[in-house]
Amino acid sequence: MTGVWALLGAVAVVAVIGAVLRTRNGRVRAARPGVRLPAPVRALLDPNTHVTLLQVSTTFCATCRQTKALLEELAHRTEGLRHVELDVTDLPDVAAELGVLRAPTTLALDGTGAELLRVGGVPKRDSLIAALRPHLPGPIG
Amino acid sequence: MPKDAPVDPRGPRFSAWITTAVLAVVLLTGSWRLLAAQTVLFAMCAFISLKLNPWGHLYRYAVQPRITPTSEREEAGPLRFAQGVGFVFALIGTVGYASGLTALGVVATSAALVAALLNAALGLCLGCELYLLLRRHAPALARPQSTPSQ
């Protein structure tokens, strides 16, 4: 009998996780306050670019390729926007300092390294464009 | 660890449904032998090759010819990592059921079932997305595969 309840419980947990992730996935969130950029991230910044999209990935990340394709395409079509990818599989301290717990997580950083916003999961193209608009000189995408 | 070629992403979803069914039967019957068999299967896929997964072969011979081909491919790295996470839970569950610690068996098997069902129903590999979280809070789960040769 315990097994039946455990089975029902597991199905309920899956439904809850699915619902939570559906609302959170790809949503643009506010910048995390008090983040000091670790050295490997600072090395990727370009002071002459308005916005750098830093994609934090791991070797085991199933949706990182899809995210990379989307962000690369966006950066390619947009003036002042760059896309860089950082694999933190073997840099857990970097992930911890950035406050990143899931991959992919994308951070938008300005030329000085200040975080503008972040997105967990595959970003939603339209809401990302809307959120980046105030930070870029021209049209996006 | 030998490297596996990228795969048709619908294959792992198909396998995940069968794994879900196996784990559901384990919960309903409390059979540690069945769970032990599943543990061995997880271990073979995670540590040797995904090609050893019998459900993958069943998919290729019985399902794939009947459905529209896709050019979509999924990297093998995340899939093998997921099998490794399944292996840890299934191993704990087997030890639980076999040693009479049924509660441990039920909890660990339920956790494995949640992961398998998330993969089957939603195409979501929770362990892959939360690898960083696992590495930070449960390094024992993440470390065995943290430096793959792939």
Side-chain angles (χ1 to χ4, degrees):
Chain A
M1 199 56 209
T2 326
V4 177
W5 288 115
L7 184 54
L8 291 174
V11 172
V13 167
V14 168
V16 170
I17 294 177
V20 168
L21 283 178
R22 188 151 297 181
T23 55
R24 285 183 61 101
N25 256 347
R27 223 177 51 183
V28 175
R29 288 180 291 145
R32 193 186 159 95
V35 171
R36 280 193 45 214
L37 292 187
V41 174
R42 276 201 307 274
L44 293 171
L45 284 176
D46 175 4
N48 300 317
T49 305
H50 284 85
V51 178
T52 298
L53 294 174
L54 169 73
Q55 177 186 339
V56 181
S57 300
T58 68
T59 311
F60 310 108
C61 166
T63 52
C64 282
R65 231 165 40 145
Q66 195 187 341
T67 302
K68 181 183 174 180
L70 180 119
L71 298 181
E72 265 184 352
E73 187 257 355
L74 205 60
H76 183 69
R77 291 154 157 267
T78 310
E79 197 197 325
L81 185 66
R82 281 168 77 231
H83 168 254
V84 291
E85 190 175 6
L86 181 65
D87 188 325
V88 296
T89 310
D90 295 313
L91 304 170
D93 298 341
V94 171
E97 282 176 64
L98 291 173
V100 168
L101 293 177
R102 65 182 285 209
T105 294
T106 304
L107 278 68
L109 306 167
D110 73 9
T112 66
E115 182 181 334
L116 305 169
L117 55 91
R118 59 171 62 196
V119 183
V122 182
K124 291 195 173 70
R125 199 172 190 276
D126 295 340
S127 51
L128 180 61
I129 287 176
L132 288 175
R133 187 151 292 143
H135 305 288
L136 286 165
I140 305 173
Chain B
M1 267 199 300
K3 190 182 163 120
D4 278 328
V7 299
D8 177 348
R10 296 170 301 182
R13 297 279 292 266
F14 175 79
S15 298
W17 277 118
I18 298 180
T19 306
T20 304
V22 169
L23 293 171
V25 172
V26 170
L27 278 180
L28 295 176
T29 61
S31 161
W32 71 265
R33 286 180 179 84
L34 181 57
L35 189 54
Q38 180 62 55
T39 308
V40 171
L41 191 54
F42 276 140
M44 292 194 314
C45 292
F47 307 123
I48 305 172
S49 171
L50 290 173
K51 292 199 188 73
L52 295 175
N53 177 9
W55 315 133
H57 290 284
L58 184 64
Y59 171 78
R60 269 189 297 283
Y61 292 114
V63 183
Q64 206 174 27
R66 292 163 205 272
I67 55 181
T68 335
T70 174
S71 59
E72 223 180 296
R73 286 293 176 269
E74 189 172 359
E75 293 294 328
L79 295 173
R80 289 181 59 164
F81 178 71
Q83 298 288 308
V85 174
F87 166 74
V88 171
F89 282 119
L91 183 64
I92 296 171
T94 305
V95 170
Y97 279 119
S99 66
L101 293 167
T102 311
L104 181 66
V106 169
V107 169
T109 306
S110 302
L113 193 144
V114 165
L117 186 55
L118 274 171
N119 199 337
L122 305 173
L124 176 78
C125 172
L126 198 62
C128 302
E129 294 219 3
L130 299 183
Y131 169 78
L132 294 169
L133 185 77
L134 284 179
R135 171 126 191 195
R136 197 155 150 198
H137 297 289
L141 270 179
R143 198 149 294 158
Q145 288 141 354
S146 66
T147 48
S149 56
Q150 45 203 336

mmCIF file of all heavy atoms in Angstrom, chain B residues 24 26 36 38 44 59 71 86 91 93 97 129-130 132:
data_model
loop_
_atom_site.group_PDB
_atom_site.id
_atom_site.type_symbol
_atom_site.label_atom_id
_atom_site.label_comp_id
_atom_site.label_asym_id
_atom_site.label_seq_id
_atom_site.Cartn_x
_atom_site.Cartn_y
_atom_site.Cartn_z
ATOM 1 N N ALA B 24 7.801 2.017 -11.335
ATOM 2 C CA ALA B 24 6.447 1.953 -10.757
ATOM 3 C C ALA B 24 6.158 0.533 -10.281
ATOM 4 O O ALA B 24 5.612 0.339 -9.183
ATOM 5 C CB ALA B 24 5.415 2.398 -11.791
ATOM 6 N N VAL B 26 8.365 -1.612 -9.308
ATOM 7 C CA VAL B 26 9.181 -1.807 -8.101
ATOM 8 C C VAL B 26 8.438 -1.244 -6.883
ATOM 9 O O VAL B 26 8.344 -1.902 -5.838
ATOM 10 C CB VAL B 26 10.556 -1.126 -8.241
ATOM 11 C CG1 VAL B 26 11.294 -1.114 -6.899
ATOM 12 C CG2 VAL B 26 11.400 -1.829 -9.303
ATOM 13 N N ALA B 36 17.343 -4.064 -8.591
ATOM 14 C CA ALA B 36 18.765 -4.353 -8.789
ATOM 15 C C ALA B 36 19.070 -4.450 -10.285
ATOM 16 O O ALA B 36 20.091 -3.940 -10.757
ATOM 17 C CB ALA B 36 19.135 -5.656 -8.079
ATOM 18 N N GLN B 38 17.465 -2.946 -12.689
ATOM 19 C CA GLN B 38 17.425 -1.581 -13.217
ATOM 20 C C GLN B 38 18.709 -0.824 -12.853
ATOM 21 O O GLN B 38 19.224 -0.048 -13.653
ATOM 22 C CB GLN B 38 16.185 -0.853 -12.669
ATOM 23 C CG GLN B 38 16.035 0.581 -13.162
ATOM 24 C CD GLN B 38 15.864 0.677 -14.675
ATOM 25 O OE1 GLN B 38 14.983 0.063 -15.264
ATOM 26 N NE2 GLN B 38 16.739 1.439 -15.318
ATOM 27 N N MET B 44 25.391 0.416 -16.592
ATOM 28 C CA MET B 44 25.961 0.111 -17.913
ATOM 29 C C MET B 44 25.859 1.322 -18.831
ATOM 30 O O MET B 44 26.797 1.650 -19.557
ATOM 31 C CB MET B 44 25.234 -1.090 -18.543
ATOM 32 C CG MET B 44 25.501 -2.390 -17.807
ATOM 33 S SD MET B 44 24.999 -3.872 -18.737
ATOM 34 C CE MET B 44 23.391 -3.469 -19.338
ATOM 35 N N TYR B 59 13.730 0.811 -29.530
ATOM 36 C CA TYR B 59 13.277 2.047 -30.193
ATOM 37 C C TYR B 59 13.708 2.053 -31.660
ATOM 38 O O TYR B 59 12.920 2.329 -32.556
ATOM 39 C CB TYR B 59 13.834 3.271 -29.463
ATOM 40 C CG TYR B 59 13.586 4.570 -30.202
ATOM 41 C CD1 TYR B 59 12.334 5.183 -30.157
ATOM 42 C CD2 TYR B 59 14.588 5.163 -30.969
ATOM 43 C CE1 TYR B 59 12.087 6.351 -30.860
ATOM 44 C CE2 TYR B 59 14.346 6.336 -31.675
ATOM 45 C CZ TYR B 59 13.102 6.923 -31.613
ATOM 46 O OH TYR B 59 12.870 8.079 -32.310
ATOM 47 N N SER B 71 16.011 15.425 -37.878
ATOM 48 C CA SER B 71 17.446 15.727 -37.973
ATOM 49 C C SER B 71 17.957 16.213 -36.616
ATOM 50 O O SER B 71 19.143 16.437 -36.426
ATOM 51 C CB SER B 71 17.680 16.806 -39.026
ATOM 52 O OG SER B 71 16.960 17.960 -38.677
ATOM 53 N N GLY B 86 20.352 8.366 -11.944
ATOM 54 C CA GLY B 86 19.413 7.260 -11.750
ATOM 55 C C GLY B 86 20.079 6.093 -11.032
ATOM 56 O O GLY B 86 19.504 5.484 -10.131
ATOM 57 N N LEU B 91 20.568 2.407 -6.692
ATOM 58 C CA LEU B 91 21.455 1.623 -5.827
ATOM 59 C C LEU B 91 21.028 1.764 -4.359
ATOM 60 O O LEU B 91 20.910 0.769 -3.637
ATOM 61 C CB LEU B 91 22.905 2.097 -6.012
ATOM 62 C CG LEU B 91 23.967 1.322 -5.238
ATOM 63 C CD1 LEU B 91 24.035 -0.122 -5.728
ATOM 64 C CD2 LEU B 91 25.340 1.976 -5.376
ATOM 65 N N GLY B 93 18.092 2.567 -3.311
ATOM 66 C CA GLY B 93 16.799 1.895 -3.191
ATOM 67 C C GLY B 93 16.949 0.387 -3.062
ATOM 68 O O GLY B 93 16.293 -0.250 -2.224
ATOM 69 N N TYR B 97 15.550 -1.835 0.075
ATOM 70 C CA TYR B 97 14.586 -2.938 -0.011
ATOM 71 C C TYR B 97 15.219 -4.257 0.436
ATOM 72 O O TYR B 97 14.629 -5.029 1.182
ATOM 73 C CB TYR B 97 14.080 -3.102 -1.448
ATOM 74 C CG TYR B 97 12.974 -2.144 -1.834
ATOM 75 C CD1 TYR B 97 13.136 -1.245 -2.875
ATOM 76 C CD2 TYR B 97 11.745 -2.161 -1.169
ATOM 77 C CE1 TYR B 97 12.120 -0.380 -3.258
ATOM 78 C CE2 TYR B 97 10.720 -1.302 -1.534
ATOM 79 C CZ TYR B 97 10.910 -0.412 -2.585
ATOM 80 O OH TYR B 97 9.910 0.440 -2.945
ATOM 81 N N GLU B 129 20.197 20.010 -15.637
ATOM 82 C CA GLU B 129 20.022 21.447 -15.398
ATOM 83 C C GLU B 129 20.582 21.843 -14.050
ATOM 84 O O GLU B 129 21.116 22.927 -13.872
ATOM 85 C CB GLU B 129 18.534 21.816 -15.448
ATOM 86 C CG GLU B 129 17.960 21.628 -16.812
ATOM 87 C CD GLU B 129 16.980 22.717 -17.199
ATOM 88 O OE1 GLU B 129 16.786 23.654 -16.415
ATOM 89 O OE2 GLU B 129 16.419 22.619 -18.287
ATOM 90 N N LEU B 130 20.398 20.931 -13.077
ATOM 91 C CA LEU B 130 20.789 21.287 -11.713
ATOM 92 C C LEU B 130 22.140 20.685 -11.348
ATOM 93 O O LEU B 130 22.448 20.526 -10.175
ATOM 94 C CB LEU B 130 19.703 20.845 -10.720
ATOM 95 C CG LEU B 130 18.343 21.509 -10.945
ATOM 96 C CD1 LEU B 130 17.362 21.075 -9.873
ATOM 97 C CD2 LEU B 130 18.452 23.022 -10.969
ATOM 98 N N LEU B 132 24.967 22.012 -11.351
ATOM 99 C CA LEU B 132 25.732 22.960 -10.516
ATOM 100 C C LEU B 132 25.239 22.927 -9.070
ATOM 101 O O LEU B 132 26.019 23.001 -8.132
ATOM 102 C CB LEU B 132 25.629 24.369 -11.084
ATOM 103 C CG LEU B 132 26.295 24.542 -12.455
ATOM 104 C CD1 LEU B 132 25.930 25.877 -13.062
ATOM 105 C CD2 LEU B 132 27.807 24.418 -12.325
#
